[in-house]
């Protein structure tokens, strides 16, 4: 089945107000910026986002955030996004933070059809005991707090029950893909993209290079096409648009540790 769509607008068709989305990437690495841009132009609001972080100010998911389109975010990292922090502390957005490994496994479990699992991560903290601020009131008090979760002992060790995550849609970016939706991710872009793709009921993938079915060695496929419904081929300019989140330089004079 040829899953290639003609435009980013066609790819995000059907994503309406109140939709939930799993979005791949970490910081600015592996972020489906073209699909996010098309979603921004579409105007959908009241979105529920599941992503490791919410992009940077004005970049990636930061576009939707700045436009007030995100009602709830689930992730593990606020990062350097000042607008995200401002909206959270002002009570304009609901935020559920969790350990990064827990987020990854909740997405994977959702894609695998596993409703819940036990993990030691978070036992003895507010992650398990409840009370984490999900939403603040304008006066700074906690309006919505996380509930307590079931804790059970296995082999003499305590574990907390975490429910899996599934979403209406998923947006991901791959280095290589074919018309059947088989995807290959490059290095660090492989972190959350396959997991987000698995969790979405309808998964949209923007690919930097599109090939014909059979050109990708089956052993090289990171995510099989069964998890992908729409494929968008990026232009060379779009594929090359990979900004650096934090650029650092080293003193050219050299010194201890240089080499």
């Amino acid at each position: 089945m040829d899953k290639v769509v003609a435009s980013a607008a066609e790819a995000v068709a059907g994503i309406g107000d109140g939709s939930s989305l799993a979005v791949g990437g970490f910081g600015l690495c592996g972020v489906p910026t073209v699909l996010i841009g098309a979603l921004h132009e579409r105007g959908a609001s009241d979105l529920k986002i599941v992503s490791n972080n919410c992009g940077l100010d004005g970049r990636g998911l930061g576009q939707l955030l700045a436009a007030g389109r995100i009602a709830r975010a689930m992730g593990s990292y606020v990062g350097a996004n000042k607008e995200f922090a401002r909206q959270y502390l002002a009570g304009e957005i609901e935020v559920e933070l969790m350990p990064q490994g827990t987020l990854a496994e909740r997405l994977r479990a959702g894609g695998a059809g596993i409703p819940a699992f036990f993990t030691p991560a978070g036992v003895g903290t507010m992650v398990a005991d409840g009370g984490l601020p999900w939403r603040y009131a304008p006066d700074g008090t906690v309006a919505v707090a996380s509930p307590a979760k079931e804790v059970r002992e296995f082999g003499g060790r305590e574990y907390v029950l975490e429910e899996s995550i599934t979403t209406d849609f998923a947006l991901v970016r791959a280095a290589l893909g074919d018309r059947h939706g088989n995807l290959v991710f490059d290095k660090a872009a492989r972190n959350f993209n396959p997991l987000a793709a698995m969790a979405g009921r309808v998964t949209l993938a923007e690919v930097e290079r599109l090939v014909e079915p059979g050109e990708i060695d089956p052993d090289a496929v990171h995510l099989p096409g069964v998890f992908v419904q729409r494929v968008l081929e990026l232009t060379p300019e779009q594929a090359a648009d990979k900004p650096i989140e934090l650029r650092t330089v080293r003193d050219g004079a050299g010194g201890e540790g240089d080499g």
Side-chain angles (χ1 to χ4, degrees), residues 22 28 52 118 186 206-207 210 243 247 251:
L28 293 179
N52 178 70
F118 282 97
D186 186 29
E206 58 180 62
V207 301
L210 180 68
R247 186 185 300 273
D251 185 355

Side-chain angles (χ1 to χ4, degrees), residues 105-118 162-166:
E105 182 60 12
R106 288 181 71 180
L107 289 166
R108 190 204 67 82
I114 299 170
F117 58 91
F118 282 97
E162 295 282 1
E163 295 186 7
S164 64
I165 295 173
T166 55

Side-chain angles (χ1 to χ4, degrees), residues 173-251:
R173 180 172 180 138
L176 181 65
D178 66 20
R179 293 181 177 276
H180 290 175
N182 298 302
L183 304 178
V184 178
F185 303 94
D186 186 29
K187 301 180 178 65
R190 191 178 174 184
N191 45 35
F192 278 100
N193 272 301
L195 307 174
M198 292 175 66
R201 296 183 182 91
V202 177
T203 294
L204 327 175
E206 58 180 62
V207 301
E208 296 171 12
R209 186 162 70 93
L210 180 68
V211 298
E212 296 301 319
E215 290 190 50
I216 302 176
D217 186 332
D219 285 338
V221 172
H222 294 150
L223 185 81
V226 68
F227 289 108
V228 179
Q229 282 68 48
R230 302 173 195 167
V231 176
L232 173 68
E233 181 182 13
L234 300 181
T235 66
E237 293 76 20
Q238 290 170 332
D241 183 21
K242 299 179 181 179
I244 296 174
E245 181 174 353
L246 180 62
R247 186 185 300 273
T248 60
V249 295
R250 187 170 56 185
D251 185 355

